[in-house]
Every structure is written in C-alpha cells, then in structure tokens.
Amino acid sequence: AMIHYKSKTEIELMRQSSLLVSETLALVASHIKPGVTTLALDSIAEQFILDHGATASFKGYHGYPFTCCISVNDAVVHGFPGKQELKDGDIVSVDVGVFKNGFHGDSAYTFAVGETSEALQQLLRVTKESLYKGIEKAIHGNRVGDISWAIQEHTEKKYGYGVVRDLVGHGLGRQLHEEPQVPNYGKRGTGAKLKEGMVIAIEPMINLGTRDVYQDKDGWTIRTADGKPAAHFEHDVAIEKGRPDILSSFAPIEAAEKANANLCSAYYGLENPVL
Ligand code: MF3
Ligand code: CO
C-alpha cells in the first residue's frame, strides 16, 4: 500500500477538478424537483462535465455505467440513475467525480425534495456537520483515526445514527481511490499519520436506523438493511500544517439549494462552520 503525496502545483490542479465537481452538483441542484427522473439529472451532469474539458470519473470505473451515483432514500450510495421520478419528501444523494488535467475530484451532497420531515432534515444537518467535524481533524500530524472518531462521535454517539462500516473515504489523486482508507468510525490517535501533500476524500455515510447495509441485485446500489433513509456528504481535503484545505466547496451548491423552491431550505449555511 502506498500513499501518493502531491506538490503545491498538483494540489492546485486538484482544486480545479474538485471545484468542477462542486459546480456540477450546483447545476444538478438547480434541476431537482418532484417529477424529474434521476437519469435526466445524470445527463445534465454529464454534458456539463464534458463541456468543461473533463471526463466523468465514475463512468467505466469497474464497469459503473453512469456519470453520477444518485441514491434516493434507503439507497446509501452507488445508486443507478434511472426512470425513477423524484417526489415530495425524498432525500437524494448525488455523488459526482470528474477527471481533468490528470487528477480526479470527487464530492457528494444530499438534497431534501419538497416538504421533508424534521427527522430527515436533522439527519442531513447532522451528517453534514459530521463531515466538517472530521475535516477539522484533517491536519498534518494528526491520524486518520482522529477524523474517523470525530465523525462517529457526532453521528452515532450523539444522535444514535447508524455509521456505515462497509464503505469508507479514501485518498484521491491520479486515481479515484488511493491510500489511505478513511473510515467514518474508529479510535482517536490510531491509523495512518496525516502528512502535508496528502489529499483525502472524507465521506460520512450515515443511516437514520441500523448501520447495516446490503447490495441491491443491480450489483451496485448499497441500501440500508432496515429500509430507512441514509445521508451522504463528501469533500476533498488537502492536508497542510495548521489547517485543512477543502478543495471542493458546498458554497455554489448551497446557493443553488436556496434558489430552488423545490428543495427544502429549513437548514443551510453550514459552509466551513468549524473553521
Ligand atoms: N464517490 C464514490 C466513491 O468515492 C463513488 C465511486 S463508485 C463508482 O467511492 F464506481 F461509481 F465510481
Ligand atoms: Co469518494
């Protein structure tokens, strides 16, 4: 197993890839409404990525057939876009990767469609908060387990949510998945040491109910074992001395979310709340 460290120049290229993902997610956000199919959202994302001189990282990755992973309600991650229409009360995770200038960007955001229950709004808020609590630990000299612990404390210990064990965050760079793995559960002070030049994708996958999941018969979609909804947020973070450098941004996505009357706006404005 090998960690690939990035130069300052390479990190700036990665920032371009990550920000293109953020802009793609913002465009998708502006098109979400009851009745839209998840396949239509995938096409919009694909066209936007190609128009910006990039390619979709996920398409063809281990045979994955789409640009986005779009995971609705009990689908946690890796959902197939399709003829399914979004409806009032759904939560929908959109996960996008792009490859540009030799580097991948990879980010995800979960949206609340129309009138969504308080319980689901809290799940989204807390999952997003946990991402930033993990990011707060993503500093040179800390360990991967510090990130994992912070996410688990905020979601499982504080709110009793299920932290998915079967999937984890990851290093990111010339490959979509690099070392180290970044679990969303673990012990402080354990795991690989974080060092300047590492870039990691931190992506809590948090279930309203049980942490247990299974793979759908489509061979990709990961669903909660109890059928309850799940949330997923993902940022790309470069490790530096003293402070984390978040390469992706939720700012354009949150702006699109606020501007779209079809998205639940009961929570927002959590950009870098801990920094
Ligand atoms: N963002 C996800 C991840 O980091 C999606 C990749 S799965 C793929 O693992 F196959 F669709 F690419
Ligand atoms: Co990822």
Side-chain angles (χ1 to χ4, degrees), residues 3-275:
I3 292 173
H4 298 282
Y5 295 89
K6 284 83 185 177
S7 68
K8 293 282 181 204
T9 309
E10 289 173 327
I11 285 171
E12 291 317 307
L13 291 176
M14 290 198 70
R15 194 188 310 280
Q16 289 184 33
S17 300
S18 295
L19 288 176
L20 180 56
V21 173
S22 304
E23 296 294 343
T24 306
L25 288 171
L27 179 67
V28 169
S30 73
H31 284 86
I32 295 178
K33 60 180 180 186
V36 75
T37 68
T38 54
L39 192 59
L41 298 176
D42 191 69
S43 301
I44 288 163
E46 177 166 38
Q47 196 58 54
F48 186 79
I49 291 165
L50 298 176
D51 286 348
H52 286 77
T55 56
S57 301
F58 302 168
K59 204 165 195 174
Y61 184 82
H62 293 285
Y64 187 77
F66 299 98
T67 291
C68 306
C69 299
I70 304 187
S71 308
V72 182
N73 297 336
D74 68 306
V76 185
V77 288
H78 301 171
F80 276 3
K83 286 180 290 192
Q84 176 180 9
E85 291 180 5
L86 295 178
K87 62 182 193 310
D88 204 67
D90 282 347
I91 59 170
V92 54
S93 152
V94 183
D95 189 349
V96 172
V98 308
F99 184 70
K100 191 176 180 178
N101 298 320
F103 290 97
H104 293 275
D106 179 15
S107 180
Y109 197 95
T110 304
F111 301 96
V113 184
E115 292 291 314
T116 312
S117 71
E118 288 289 335
L120 286 185
Q121 287 172 43
Q122 179 180 277
L123 176 70
L124 299 192
R125 175 179 64 77
V126 169
T127 303
K128 194 200 265 189
E129 284 170 358
S130 79
L131 170 58
Y132 285 104
K133 285 180 183 292
I135 289 171
E136 198 177 3
K137 307 291 183 193
I139 298 169
H140 177 92
N142 282 354
R143 289 183 183 272
V144 167
D146 297 322
I147 299 171
S148 308
W149 175 85
I151 293 169
Q152 187 180 13
E153 280 285 304
H154 191 61
T155 54
E156 194 175 272
K157 195 146 182 228
K158 192 158 174 206
Y159 289 91
Y161 293 149
V163 176
V164 174
R165 302 298 203 268
D166 306 60
L167 297 123
V168 295
H170 51 93
L172 181 75
R174 294 193 180 278
Q175 302 296 325
L176 180 61
H177 293 142
E178 297 184 357
E179 292 293 310
Q181 294 196 359
V182 183
N184 299 304
Y185 58 93
K187 286 189 183 19
R188 273 186 285 191
T190 67
K193 211 167 205 170
L194 299 168
K195 292 186 189 155
E196 195 165 31
M198 288 171 65
V199 177
I200 55 174
I202 306 177
E203 48 179 319
M205 290 156 260
I206 307 298
N207 300 346
L208 189 62
T210 179
R211 71 193 194 194
D212 295 335
V213 297
Y214 69 96
Q215 192 176 61
D216 189 285
K217 59 179 171 359
D218 67 15
W220 278 95
T221 311
I222 303 296
R223 294 185 186 279
T224 59
D226 60 9
K228 291 184 181 174
H232 176 220
F233 290 85
E234 178 176 22
H235 263 319
D236 304 332
V237 183
I239 305 300
E240 283 183 17
K241 290 181 173 146
R243 66 167 197 96
D245 184 4
I246 310 177
L247 303 181
S248 40
S249 172
F250 288 162
I253 305 168
E254 287 169 345
E257 191 178 42
K258 284 180 215 178
N260 182 345
N262 298 296
L263 292 175
C264 185
S265 56
Y267 81 96
Y268 47 65
L270 274 163
E271 179 70 0
N272 298 4
V274 297
L275 303 178

